[in-house]
Amino acid sequence: MSAVPGVPSSGAGRARRRHLPVAAAPRDWRWQLRHATTTVAGLERALALSADERAGAVRAERAGLPLRVTPYYLGLVDPSDPRCPIRRQVVPHAAEALATPGDLADPLGEAAHEVAPGLVHRYPDRALLLATDQCAIYCRFCTRSRMVGGGVGALPGAALRGAVAWLGGHPEVRDVIVSGGDPLALGTDRLERLVAAVRAVPSVEVIRLATRVPVCLPMRVDRALVRALRPHHPLWVMTHFNHPKELTPEATRALALLVDGGFPVMNQTVLLAGVNDAAATLEALFRGLVRRRVRPYYLMQMDPVSGTGHLRTPLARGVALMEALQGRLSGIALPKLIVDTPGGMGKVPLGPDYVVARAPGRTRLRTHRGVEVEYLDPA
Ligand SMILES: *Cc1c(COP(=O)(O)O)cnc(C)c1O
């Protein structure tokens, strides 16, 4: 038992009563979901909560974005330090009740861009399919806190047929991002049926699965899942690692199964105050991902979701971090810094400005070493 971090002994007792092999149980993803912490009392048993955390947890138990952490992910939390970067991602805080100017319930205007139930269309060649409202954990900075965890569950069959019919009528959409909620929170059969339905649309070239499961429930990535999904390639997996502490041996195993299974794996990190807004943290994370054959794809400025002001950084912070990393990190380890503009107007890449001066045919550039270089256009 002690080999599995964060599994409370009461959980092991419950597993024994179900006649499951005790040592194996926490390695079973369904066991992890059944034993997820969803109440203030459960959280108090595992961690010494600060007054602000307790107030946040009490609030989350009553309304809004629910409280939910898998025993596995809870095991990564420092039980005595409220500043722990893992803890800040999943333990609610009293500041979730505060409103910040500019906050929105639906910062990306997804409801307004819904073209069929569960299908969001904001870019000409891409669409986003919300497969379920369930996740293995509820991240306190969730962009879709307005709708996840409501207990609706998987997208109903009729809605899926509607989404697939819309895709069939829009051959310009070649890339479908399956998100939610977390699509990997669905059972393998159900997920495979959903992916097969999307794959059956001839104009869909690429399907992406956007999931935090390799981070918070890595045992869910097993050979059966890979076997079920492989026939539907090209399938890309978009993971969501935010901190190097999340790159555990279990997560490493999950990523290896995916990459070996032929899934290109990309990572989207959300920039979070007090979690990963330091160059050394991001450097360790991006290097760790590349070592595991995962490409850091986006570093995302946090969306202005209601009740997340305490987790957001100013825009200039992300730009300064990118500047610190540029030149120090291999190009394959450097993600793009992205701001998803409020109102669903689309993503904008941001970065340090390396252009010092412009004249016709002549541009003065600053390199990462601080050297200024003149570049001449062809005549
Ligand atoms: C972010 C997003 C995409 C995908 O954007 P990429 O830049 O291609 O990764 C597609 N649709 C919606 C609605 C999105 O929010």
Side-chain angles (χ1 to χ4, degrees):
M1 280 314 305
S2 56
V4 181
V7 175
S9 50
S10 60
R14 256 172 279 150
R16 203 172 288 123
R17 282 197 297 280
R18 283 168 209 244
H19 309 292
L20 292 171
V22 171
R27 291 183 176 81
D28 174 341
W29 67 275
R30 294 194 183 273
W31 184 97
Q32 287 281 333
L33 290 181
R34 274 200 307 270
H35 293 86
T37 296
T38 58
T39 62
V40 183
L43 208 52
E44 295 256 43
R45 272 197 297 277
L47 313 172
L49 295 182
S50 71
D52 278 339
E53 288 175 327
R54 188 172 307 106
V58 167
R59 189 173 174 273
E61 208 180 56
R62 282 201 305 258
L65 181 66
L67 165 64
R68 182 180 190 132
V69 197
T70 55
Y72 164 82
Y73 199 72
L74 198 54
L76 305 183
V77 168
D78 184 326
S80 56
D81 183 6
R83 291 163 314 172
C84 163
I86 304 301
R87 184 161 169 158
R88 282 176 69 80
Q89 296 185 60
V90 286
V91 174
H93 191 279
E96 290 179 13
L98 303 178
T100 307
D103 271 7
L104 297 163
D106 179 9
L108 307 183
E110 291 182 334
H113 289 83
E114 199 163 293
V115 290
L119 191 68
V120 181
H121 185 231
R122 288 205 289 151
Y123 300 91
D125 65 331
R126 280 153 280 175
L128 172 69
L129 180 62
L130 304 176
T132 171
D133 72 340
Q134 299 293 299
C135 289
I137 65 174
Y138 291 117
C139 308
R140 306 322 298 174
F141 50 89
C142 181
T143 284
R144 297 201 188 98
S145 56
R146 70 181 189 281
M147 55 157 286
V148 301
V152 176
L155 189 69
L160 177 60
R161 285 190 292 279
V164 167
W166 187 93
L167 291 170
H170 292 81
E172 69 277 14
V173 173
R174 298 155 186 271
D175 177 351
V176 175
I177 298 145
V178 181
S179 185
D182 198 313
L184 268 64
L186 297 173
T188 301
D189 289 352
R190 186 155 207 152
L191 177 61
E192 201 260 339
R193 284 199 302 274
L194 182 142
V195 168
V198 175
R199 177 49 78 212
V201 179
S203 45
V204 172
E205 293 171 8
V206 167
I207 301 173
R208 301 189 230 176
L209 297 173
T211 175
R212 210 166 183 218
V213 152
V215 181
C216 60
L217 187 66
M219 51 294 282
R220 198 265 172 268
V221 179
D222 53 20
R223 287 184 197 288
L225 178 74
V226 170
R227 217 179 303 121
L229 295 178
R230 273 183 97 140
H232 306 292
H233 273 322
L235 271 171
W236 291 49
V237 173
M238 316 299 286
T239 60
H240 186 6
F241 288 86
N242 288 333
H243 194 277
K245 273 182 86 174
E246 294 168 343
L247 293 168
T248 62
E250 292 88 346
T252 300
R253 196 201 110 273
L255 293 173
L257 271 174
L258 291 171
V259 178
D260 289 344
F263 301 81
V265 182
M266 304 271 147
N267 189 73
Q268 306 191 140
T269 295
V270 175
L271 187 55
L272 293 162
V275 173
N276 58 13
D277 58 339
T281 306
L282 291 177
E283 177 172 348
L285 173 63
F286 299 152
R287 287 194 193 282
L289 287 165
V290 168
R291 213 154 46 232
R292 290 166 179 81
R293 295 178 287 167
V294 176
R295 168 81 162 103
Y297 174 63
Y298 284 164
L299 174 61
M300 309 214 60
Q301 171 68 20
M302 229 195 95
D303 298 326
V305 195
S306 306
T308 61
H310 60 299
L311 293 171
R312 297 213 300 273
T313 52
L315 273 187
R317 185 82 196 233
V319 174
L321 287 166
M322 290 304 292
E323 174 134 38
L325 297 175
Q326 176 77 39
R328 205 161 96 197
L329 246 67
S330 149
I332 59 171
L334 262 189
K336 253 195 236 173
L337 175 63
I338 293 284
V339 184
D340 217 339
T341 54
M345 297 292 108
K347 295 181 177 73
V348 172
L350 270 192
D353 194 356
Y354 295 105
V355 176
V356 180
R358 272 182 240 264
R362 187 179 279 270
T363 310
R364 197 162 182 77
L365 300 171
R366 176 176 59 88
T367 74
H368 72 275
R369 296 167 192 264
V371 180
E372 290 188 13
V373 185
E374 199 80 9
Y375 185 90
L376 300 182
D377 287 336

